[in-house]
Amino acid sequence: MKGILGDNRIPTVEKTDYSRWRLLDEAGRHTWHYLESDEELEAWSQSIADKHHLGLATGLPELPEPRTGLECAKNGLEFFSRLQLPPGNWASEYGGPMFLLPGLVVTWYVTQTPVPASHMIEMRRYLFARQHPEDGGWGLHVEGQSTVFGTAMNYVTLRLLGVSEEDPRMVRARGTLHKLGGAVNGPHWAMFWLSVLGVCEWEAVNPVPPELWLLPDWTPISPWRWWVHIRQVFLPMSYAYSKRYVGPKTPLVLQLREELYSQPYASIDFAAHRNSISPRDNYHPKTWVLNTVNWALVNIWNPYLRTNNISKRAESWAFDLIQREDENTKYANLGPVNGPMNLLACYIHDGEGSYSVKRHRERMHDFLWMKHEGMLMNGTNGVQTWDTSFLIHAVVEAGLVDEPKWKPMLVKALEFLEDQQIRENCREQEICYRQQRKGAWAFSTKDQGYTVSDTTAEALKAVLLLQHSPGYPTLISEERLQDSADTLLTMQNATGSFSSYEPRRGSEYLEWLNAAEVFGRIMIEYDYPECTTAAVTTLSLFTKHHPSYRSAEIQRVIDGALRYIRHAQRPDGSWYGSWGICFTYATMFAVQSLASVGETYENSERVRRACHFLLDKQMDDGGWGESYRSCETGIYTHHEQSQVVNTAWTCIALMEAKYPDREPIEMALRMIIDRQQPNGEWLQEAIEGVFNKSCMITYPNYKFIFPIKALGMFARRYGDIKLG
């Protein structure tokens, strides 16, 4: 059954029947389906992976109690292998941000998109499950304090999903929002979505001029120089801004106007609130440069200089680039922010019933994920290639690749990576500012189609490890492996480092134009120890097996990357992590880079400093626990309790460094063994990932992959001694 958002016939039941949910994996594309009929249930049984992701009992048996690290690793792999999906990959939630689902629901509402009742019910469940327990608001991410962005947008979302304003939970949320000054104190992205919905006036939105896309490429602020995510969000945002699009003025919209503010809607001078923002949302305050530019755009450019001809040219070119993004990603789009925005732009331009709107509506389901708390929106359309590659590394490092029991699982994983390698570049890639991608792997699937430096490196490494292990098939040819190395070699920065999607294209001064306010380091690509290490270790392995292919160039790239790694170390011995929490994550990678060229605790002062930094943070139970606050502040912050994932990362770093004292490693691994459940799984603990310094994101499969790797590495280095 489907309904239209805002319809008073939306079901009011609190929860669906979880035995009726199924995850469909079509060559890596993940979509959740609710089976309405008994005939459907009979034809499509619920898998162990379905049950695990939904928080249901899997029925998997208890395993023999492990006494050694390798036995514990095998128990973990026994459980995790049962979660492998038919194409050979693993799935997982990739949630955490609380601003994603609202953008989708607002887009569905203004485009009158039919939504399954089951999805509406479970979205409500998830948002209420993640409501702040103390004040009833919502934050930027699931572990953050309540903000105007999170509270206003998720309040609106629940109202669009049919929740009454009289619901006690909504009354609490509304009270918190008003205490924070009301929705007028929201950041830029909040004001954009509220204006699209019609519960805010466009005068409150700082300019998002599509004319920037008409600037010559040589200009220092040209959008092609920006980080790809802000570039692809700004693109459809600028189109909707230029159109000043507002959805239908329904009774619910009119009612929301009176709920979101601490004064009557008609009395608000929205133009005066263009720069209003709650201190809780103002992680990256607008600079005087940006404020000056915005003032000039609002007071001079828009009213006096922006001719109809200029605006039409800008809108036309912006929409052409939107179409190219849709084509290059088969409508999957880069992520869950620009995906709904592109749907909105196509709805404005092409209209209801158009092919583009139909395809976007289908693709929105790629971002949705079901778990025990309800339905959320993932940070991408999945982590398929990323997690599958790391699992292969873990099994190889644990010394289990030659065991016949695991070979079918690993061959299926290799088959998945073979299928997901991108085989061609984008059409006219220079026009749409896309990075070379032939031979690369995307973070999720080849349909999404964006080159990512470390995903390409880790996937290539996984393929090399398996295809050069006895008894494994050669599925990816030498030519295709060379294509992958070729693309990786195009991605090095002048500093020697590697960034994420592209080499750095613009100056760090572009951060002066960061209008997002809630994020830091968002305008350009940056140097990342994690991505750089992936390139170093993979290119070294590639050269080992292909010594005659571009060997001199590869060595120069590796040398430059290692210089960057050494330079990026902080005086305290650590490295700052930008994609995982935080210092434990990046330090693991950096030490791995140095170990690959023989730098260890014995012969390297920098490796000794890294080890001492980590050992100083060991907790009383032998583990490590790092809080997401490390990412925000740049200072190591202990979590309240040790974490299996942080502990595994640290153990891997110490073993890569060949730290001479086994005792702290053994203590840590005993903690990991003690946390393992009788069926081999580890339970979810604190959030593991981060992006743009301030927003956290989950990697639930890390609690399997990295403990398996750490435990197996210990057994290979020190023997399979008793630990449990």
Side-chain angles (χ1 to χ4, degrees):
M1 182 177 72
K2 291 189 177 182
I4 298 296
L5 296 174
D7 193 319
N8 59 14
R9 293 170 295 174
I10 292 175
T12 57
V13 297
E14 290 293 320
K15 184 179 180 181
T16 61
D17 179 355
Y18 270 36
S19 70
R20 292 180 175 271
W21 284 100
R22 304 290 186 272
L23 176 63
L24 179 63
D25 188 335
E26 301 170 289
R29 183 195 177 202
H30 296 160
T31 51
W32 282 94
H33 300 263
Y34 189 72
L35 307 185
E36 300 280 357
S37 70
D38 291 339
E39 290 76 16
E40 290 175 304
L41 285 175
E42 183 69 25
W44 189 356
S45 60
Q46 200 168 46
S47 70
I48 291 172
D50 294 337
K51 294 175 183 177
H52 171 74
H53 296 309
L54 292 166
L56 302 176
T58 61
L60 292 177
E62 293 189 4
L63 301 171
E65 184 175 352
R67 296 164 300 171
T68 70
L70 193 58
E71 289 175 359
C72 184
K74 289 181 178 180
N75 282 358
L77 191 55
E78 178 71 35
F79 183 91
F80 195 54
S81 66
R82 302 297 295 272
L83 306 183
Q84 188 177 30
L85 298 174
N89 64 293
W90 279 263
S92 85
E93 170 195 354
Y94 190 49
M98 292 303 295
F99 59 89
L100 302 177
L101 195 58
L104 173 62
V105 172
V106 168
T107 302
W108 275 346
Y109 186 81
V110 300
T111 61
Q112 293 291 283
T113 297
V115 182
S118 55
H119 290 48
M120 299 186 210
I121 293 166
E122 293 301 333
M123 287 176 181
R124 293 198 303 250
R125 282 193 70 242
Y126 179 76
L127 293 182
F128 280 133
R130 287 301 181 174
Q131 195 170 22
H132 198 284
E134 295 176 5
D135 61 25
W138 290 268
L140 182 66
H141 57 87
V142 293
E143 295 190 7
Q145 66 177 342
S146 295
T147 62
V148 174
F149 191 13
T151 304
M153 293 305 300
N154 287 293
Y155 180 92
V156 166
T157 301
L158 284 164
R159 294 287 282 118
L160 298 181
L161 290 169
V163 179
S164 168
E165 77 278 14
E166 300 301 329
D167 186 301
R169 297 166 293 186
M170 300 295 278
V171 173
R172 280 185 74 210
R174 196 162 60 245
T176 292
L177 178 60
H178 289 176
K179 286 177 184 176
L180 293 171
V184 290
N185 282 338
H188 188 241
W189 288 15
M191 306 313 279
F192 168 81
W193 281 121
L194 295 177
S195 297
V196 166
L197 182 59
V199 297
C200 177
E201 299 299 318
W202 278 107
E203 287 75 18
V205 182
N206 268 309
V208 195
E211 294 87 276
L212 281 176
W213 295 96
L214 299 178
L215 291 174
D217 287 350
W218 54 263
T219 55
I221 64 170
S222 179
W224 78 275
R225 300 181 184 277
W226 304 354
W227 185 47
V228 66
H229 275 280
I230 195 66
R231 190 165 80 228
Q232 292 300 347
V233 167
F234 183 93
L235 179 61
M237 184 184 279
S238 70
Y239 184 81
Y241 170 84
S242 186
K243 294 290 188 181
R244 299 299 197 276
Y245 176 82
V246 180
K249 194 180 293 185
T250 65
L252 178 56
V253 166
L254 296 178
Q255 191 171 344
L256 277 168
R257 288 181 173 185
E258 304 306 325
E259 296 172 20
L260 294 172
Y261 304 97
S262 56
Q263 67 185 90
Y265 188 85
S267 70
I268 300 173
D269 180 358
F270 282 96
H273 286 287
R274 207 166 32 81
N275 292 313
S276 299
I277 185 168
S278 163
R280 292 192 184 185
D281 293 79
N282 204 16
Y283 180 77
H284 189 284
K286 293 187 291 292
T287 63
W288 68 267
V289 174
L290 180 59
N291 285 329
T292 302
V293 170
N294 285 337
W295 183 92
L297 289 169
V298 168
N299 295 288
I300 300 174
W301 175 254
N302 285 345
Y304 301 115
L305 302 178
R306 189 179 193 249
T307 65
N308 188 59
N309 179 57
I310 291 174
S311 66
K312 294 301 181 186
R313 282 180 56 217
E315 290 170 4
S316 176
W317 180 233
F319 191 74
D320 184 80
L321 291 173
I322 290 169
Q323 290 178 304
R324 290 172 183 271
E325 160 76 352
D326 291 343
E327 173 192 327
N328 290 330
T329 62
K330 298 182 180 178
Y331 290 87
N333 295 136
L334 173 62
V337 179
N338 82 311
M341 288 184 181
N342 277 20
L343 165 55
L344 176 64
C346 288
Y347 185 84
I348 296 168
H349 187 277
D350 297 339
E352 177 64 51
S354 63
Y355 175 79
S356 62
V357 170
K358 175 179 178 291
R359 291 288 286 122
H360 273 299
R361 283 173 170 163
E362 293 169 353
R363 280 295 197 178
M364 291 303 103
H365 292 270
D366 296 20
F367 296 111
L368 299 176
W369 187 260
M370 271 297 297
K371 60 180 296 187
H372 69 283
E373 296 172 312
M375 179 169 278
L376 58 102
M377 197 171 190
N378 274 342
T380 61
N381 62 332
V383 293
Q384 296 87 318
T385 296
W386 181 250
D387 280 1
T388 301
S389 300
F390 270 133
L391 183 278
I392 293 171
H393 300 173
V395 176
V396 173
E397 290 284 352
L400 301 175
V401 69
D402 296 326
E403 292 196 6
K405 179 176 183 177
W406 311 116
K407 185 175 179 181
M409 173 192 74
L410 293 171
V411 170
K412 283 177 64 180
L414 179 60
E415 289 171 349
F416 178 78
L417 293 183
E418 187 279 328
D419 179 65
Q420 292 299 315
Q421 188 182 25
I422 301 169
R423 305 292 295 278
E424 70 288 316
N425 290 318
C426 295
R427 180 177 65 86
E428 298 179 325
Q429 67 180 26
E430 295 81 9
I431 293 177
C432 48
Y433 311 119
R434 286 291 296 272
Q435 176 69 19
Q436 176 178 320
R437 69 177 191 176
K438 183 180 180 182
W441 278 269
F443 185 72
S444 54
T445 64
K446 65 182 177 184
D447 280 2
Q448 192 262 6
Y450 271 86
T451 309
V452 183
S453 68
D454 54 352
T455 307
T456 295
E458 303 294 8
L460 176 57
K461 186 193 301 180
V463 170
L464 291 169
L465 288 171
L466 283 186
Q467 291 194 167
H468 289 277
S469 295
Y472 285 85
T474 300
L475 301 182
I476 299 182
S477 67
E478 182 174 0
E479 180 182 359
R480 289 171 59 186
L481 296 174
Q482 291 171 356
D483 288 341
S484 181
D486 289 343
T487 290
L488 200 53
L489 290 172
T490 69
M491 302 187 75
Q492 189 171 35
N493 293 315
T495 59
S497 74
F498 282 73
S499 299
S500 53
Y501 293 86
E502 302 157 342
R504 185 184 299 183
R505 296 174 172 184
S507 165
E508 195 167 348
Y509 289 119
L510 281 170
E511 290 295 346
W512 289 3
L513 301 180
N514 178 354
E517 297 146 327
V518 295
F519 305 116
R521 288 162 55 102
I522 197 174
M523 290 300 295
I524 62 167
E525 285 279 11
Y526 284 90
D527 303 332
Y528 301 122
E530 309 99 300
C531 300
T532 307
T533 291
V536 167
T537 56
T538 296
L539 289 172
S540 297
L541 184 63
F542 177 84
T543 296
K544 175 183 175 182
H545 295 297
H546 302 271
S548 62
Y549 189 76
R550 301 183 67 176
S551 57
E553 295 171 71
I554 289 173
Q555 190 57 53
R556 283 196 298 272
V557 167
I558 291 172
D559 291 343
L562 288 167
R563 282 195 296 272
Y564 158 74
I565 290 287
R566 294 173 183 126
H567 176 74
Q569 188 178 27
R570 294 185 167 201
D572 63 7
S574 69
W575 285 263
Y576 176 86
S578 296
W579 303 105
I581 298 173
C582 167
F583 294 101
T584 48
Y585 183 70
T587 301
M588 172 188 68
F589 279 100
V591 170
Q592 186 181 4
S593 270
L594 298 174
S596 72
V597 291
E599 286 195 38
T600 66
Y601 186 90
E602 181 182 10
N603 60 23
S604 170
E605 172 59 26
R606 61 175 56 88
V607 174
R608 285 194 289 274
R609 285 193 288 122
C611 290
H612 293 154
F613 170 84
L614 293 172
L615 291 166
D616 285 345
K617 308 298 185 290
Q618 191 167 23
M619 301 176 80
D620 290 342
D621 66 356
W624 279 261
E626 189 175 2
S627 166
Y628 74 84
R629 294 285 296 163
S630 293
C631 305
E632 294 179 337
T633 64
I635 300 169
Y636 188 99
T637 305
H638 283 285
H639 198 279
E640 293 142 357
Q641 63 180 28
S642 59
Q643 303 289 310
V644 164
V645 174
N646 293 133
T647 302
W649 289 340
T650 306
C651 288
I652 291 167
L654 293 173
M655 287 186 283
E656 291 281 9
K658 297 183 179 178
Y659 182 69
D661 183 1
R662 278 175 18 197
E663 184 178 352
I665 302 173
E666 290 184 22
M667 282 180 60
L669 294 180
R670 278 195 290 271
M671 185 278 283
I672 290 177
I673 292 172
D674 289 343
R675 297 267 180 98
Q676 190 177 47
Q677 303 301 297
N679 63 2
E681 73 174 314
W682 285 275
L683 301 180
Q684 185 64 29
E685 297 178 337
I687 204 161
E688 305 92 348
V690 62
F691 59 92
N692 301 124
K693 297 186 72 172
S694 60
C695 195
M696 309 305 133
I697 197 161
T698 58
Y699 287 85
N701 288 337
Y702 280 6
K703 66 180 178 287
F704 297 103
I705 292 167
F706 289 102
I708 290 169
K709 179 176 179 177
L711 291 160
M713 284 177 64
F714 182 88
R716 292 184 74 187
R717 283 161 171 73
Y718 303 114
D720 195 21
I721 63 175
K722 183 177 180 180
L723 290 173

